[in-house]
Amino acid sequence: QVELTVKGGKVVSCKATQYPDHRRTSVSINQQALPMLEREVVMVQSAKVHMISGATLTSRAYVASLVDAIQQALQ
């Protein structure tokens, strides 16, 4: 689950609030991939971010949640 903070029509932060943390592998992948995804969203100001190599499932789930958060922010 992703939470967006929008100020003045721009995304100023994008934070994963819920993510898999029940396996060591998930924790390791998410510790590396989530900050990269969060920075890229703020930089590109959209959900069109690059998938993180080795974290494809995390990247896809993040983008899906991000799209939902953007749609909610626009309502």
Side-chain angles (χ1 to χ4, degrees), residues 4-24:
L4 282 179
T5 303
V6 179
K7 290 186 181 174
K10 294 195 176 213
V11 177
V12 293
S13 73
C14 184
K15 199 80 169 151
T17 59
Q18 292 181 10
Y19 47 86
D21 61 358
H22 58 282
R23 294 183 4 206
R24 278 190 210 170

Side-chain angles (χ1 to χ4, degrees), residues 13-75:
S13 73
C14 184
K15 199 80 169 151
T17 59
Q18 292 181 10
Y19 47 86
D21 61 358
H22 58 282
R23 294 183 4 206
R24 278 190 210 170
T25 304
S26 296
V27 170
S28 177
I29 289 170
N30 290 329
Q31 283 177 340
Q32 293 178 27
L34 292 175
M36 294 169 73
L37 290 164
E38 292 165 356
R39 282 191 302 269
E40 189 167 0
V41 168
V42 173
M43 186 172 60
V44 300
Q45 293 291 301
S46 83
K48 294 181 182 178
V49 296
H50 293 100
M51 295 290 133
I52 305 297
S53 180
T56 304
L57 295 176
T58 296
S59 298
R60 286 183 181 159
Y62 186 92
V63 169
S65 184
L66 176 60
V67 168
D68 287 342
I70 290 170
Q71 289 174 345
Q72 288 179 22
L74 295 174
Q75 292 180 353

